[in-house]
Amino acid sequence: MPLTLTLTRIFVFFFFAAVTCFSPASCSGEVQAFREAPAFRNGRECPPRETSVIHIAMTLDATYLRGSVAGVFSVLQHASCPENVVFHFVATTHRRRQELRRIIISTFPYLKFHIYHFDSNLVRGKISYSIRRALDQPLNYARMYLADLVPATAQRIIYFDSDLIVVDDVAKLWSIDLGDHVLGAPEYCHANFTNYFTHRFWSNPTYAASFKGRDACYFNTGVMVIDLWKWREGRYTEKLENWMRIQKRSRIYELGSLPPFLLVFAGNVERVEHRWNQHGLGGDNVEGLCRDLHPGPVSLLHWSGKGKPWLRIDSKKPCTLDSLWAPYDLFRHSVSLFNDS
């Protein structure tokens, strides 16, 4: 049999076994996959899924897939009614979306989920470079378009970043009362809010007046509870896009998709307990050094910042708190296609 045909059949076998490559190095002869997660079932006390669904949105891409899988696993493991959880994944390309679908099905055979295509062209002309390249990727802005992607029947959704794990029942976060607010998230009013915008912003009276009359506090957009109906009614995607256009002209901030959210929502956010976003475990956006937990109880651990636990673990230089992420890592280490052993 010709060598080219043999290699083609080998590739096809692994492709339909739901594996993928994450970097040019791994694409040169190695495949990577995930172990199948155990099945998590509802108890007798759980209401029918038809009447009590928890909607969770996350992005999916090759770079952060390992983190996303760990995040999903953590949610299911701690959920009181895991079969009532529906995931809404967002990916950027049709080809990649099919690969990701196969991986999710093989890793979580019992998971109820949808995958939506996010058109990168929606933001490509509006993105300005920031202090970390990962923050400039179009998919980082997909959270602004959830109301356009998710079916109108979903009134509320939880958005989770791909570098976190949940160690509590997600139903507690889902059930918070948003009141009249569009968005709920933990706020951090001790943070120096002025640092999130440039001198050009604060020296412009029109821009600075945006926060007039608001008790604006920093919040991290990696964990948000969103009322999609109110979002659509208030046309909040357009408001965020408007600030992105201003940024393109005037350079009023440095940090990716976060500042537009602060400009639109800060001071008008339903406050969620800090336990639901112990963020910053990835260090800052430059060095990604190890950090400790904030004081208080913990329901969610978030490795926001440059340092990601899977990268530090693989490099044999983990931080102490990375050991809390490791039990949710379903990654199956790469296998060479050309290994004779």
Side-chain angles (χ1 to χ4, degrees):
M1 182 180 295
L3 178 60
T4 53
L5 181 59
T6 302
L7 293 179
T8 299
R9 290 184 176 180
I10 291 175
F11 172 78
V12 170
F13 171 80
F14 278 100
F15 182 82
F16 284 98
V19 295
T20 189
C21 52
F22 294 81
S23 66
S26 62
C27 287
S28 63
E30 293 183 342
V31 293
Q32 302 184 36
F34 297 89
R35 303 189 305 276
E36 181 179 324
F40 296 97
R41 299 300 190 184
N42 283 359
R44 293 182 178 179
E45 72 284 357
C46 290
R49 186 169 65 186
E50 294 76 16
T51 61
S52 183
V53 179
I54 296 175
H55 297 282
I56 299 176
M58 298 179 75
T59 58
L60 284 182
D61 70 345
T63 303
Y64 282 86
L65 182 60
R66 188 169 169 185
S68 298
V69 168
V72 172
F73 185 29
S74 72
V75 169
L76 297 176
Q77 183 163 320
H78 295 283
S80 55
C81 301
E83 291 184 279
N84 288 15
V85 179
V86 176
F87 279 87
H88 300 264
F89 298 116
V90 182
T92 51
T93 65
H94 289 289
R95 182 184 63 82
R96 177 65 67 186
R97 191 174 66 181
Q98 294 307 313
E99 295 175 10
L100 294 171
R101 180 182 298 276
R102 278 186 283 269
I103 293 172
I104 295 299
I105 290 174
S106 66
T107 308
F108 302 104
Y110 307 98
L111 185 68
K112 177 69 174 177
F113 73 94
H114 308 278
I115 298 183
Y116 309 99
H117 171 245
F118 177 63
D119 184 0
S120 299
N121 292 322
L122 287 172
V123 295
R124 201 174 296 278
K126 305 181 186 77
I127 296 176
S128 301
Y129 70 89
S130 61
I131 62 174
R132 186 158 62 91
R133 185 177 179 184
L135 302 177
D136 302 337
Q137 302 307 308
L139 200 57
N140 190 44
Y141 292 81
R143 70 196 78 189
M144 297 180 176
Y145 296 86
L146 292 177
D148 299 326
L149 296 168
V150 177
T153 52
Q155 179 177 355
R156 171 183 291 211
I157 201 162
I158 297 173
Y159 174 80
F160 281 152
D161 268 350
S162 297
D163 51 2
L164 57 77
I165 56 170
V166 177
V167 292
D168 201 346
D169 185 1
V170 74
K172 298 177 184 177
L173 178 62
W174 175 259
S175 64
I176 69 166
D177 184 3
L178 289 178
D180 294 330
H181 297 107
V182 178
L183 185 152
E187 289 186 306
Y188 304 89
C189 295
H190 63 276
N192 189 342
F193 194 80
T194 60
N195 288 341
Y196 292 96
F197 301 94
T198 64
H199 175 72
R200 181 174 295 178
F201 174 87
W202 293 113
S203 61
N204 184 308
T206 302
Y207 296 159
S210 303
F211 293 112
K212 186 177 181 179
R214 290 198 271 168
D215 185 15
C217 295
Y218 162 79
F219 67 94
N220 180 278
T221 57
V223 178
M224 297 184 289
V225 183
I226 302 171
D227 187 318
L228 295 174
W229 289 2
K230 290 178 181 175
W231 182 292
R232 295 186 188 102
E233 184 180 1
R235 305 179 74 165
Y236 283 95
T237 297
E238 293 180 22
K239 295 176 181 179
L240 292 165
E241 287 180 328
N242 181 58
W243 281 112
M244 291 172 66
R245 293 187 185 97
I246 293 174
Q247 158 73 354
K248 198 74 173 175
R249 296 194 307 265
S250 303
R251 191 68 183 174
I252 58 174
Y253 55 78
E254 305 286 351
L255 270 176
S257 63
L258 169 63
F261 273 90
L262 297 180
L263 286 159
V264 173
F265 292 106
N268 194 24
V269 172
E270 179 62 35
R271 293 184 176 179
V272 176
E273 289 183 90
H274 287 174
R275 67 188 303 151
W276 284 104
N277 196 351
Q278 284 271 349
H279 69 290
L281 303 185
D284 60 22
N285 283 300
V286 179
E287 297 184 73
L289 301 177
C290 297
R291 286 186 178 175
D292 295 325
L293 288 174
H294 306 292
V298 179
S299 294
L300 184 149
L301 297 160
H302 186 189
W303 278 262
S304 58
K306 184 178 181 180
K308 304 305 175 188
W310 57 92
L311 297 178
R312 296 195 293 216
I313 289 171
D314 286 354
S315 67
K316 310 299 183 184
K317 297 178 181 179
C319 296
T320 301
L321 293 178
D322 294 344
S323 63
L324 300 177
W325 181 89
Y328 302 95
D329 185 15
L330 295 176
F331 177 67
R332 180 182 295 151
H333 284 276
S334 57
V335 179
S336 174
L337 290 174
F338 308 108
N339 191 342
D340 295 329
S341 59

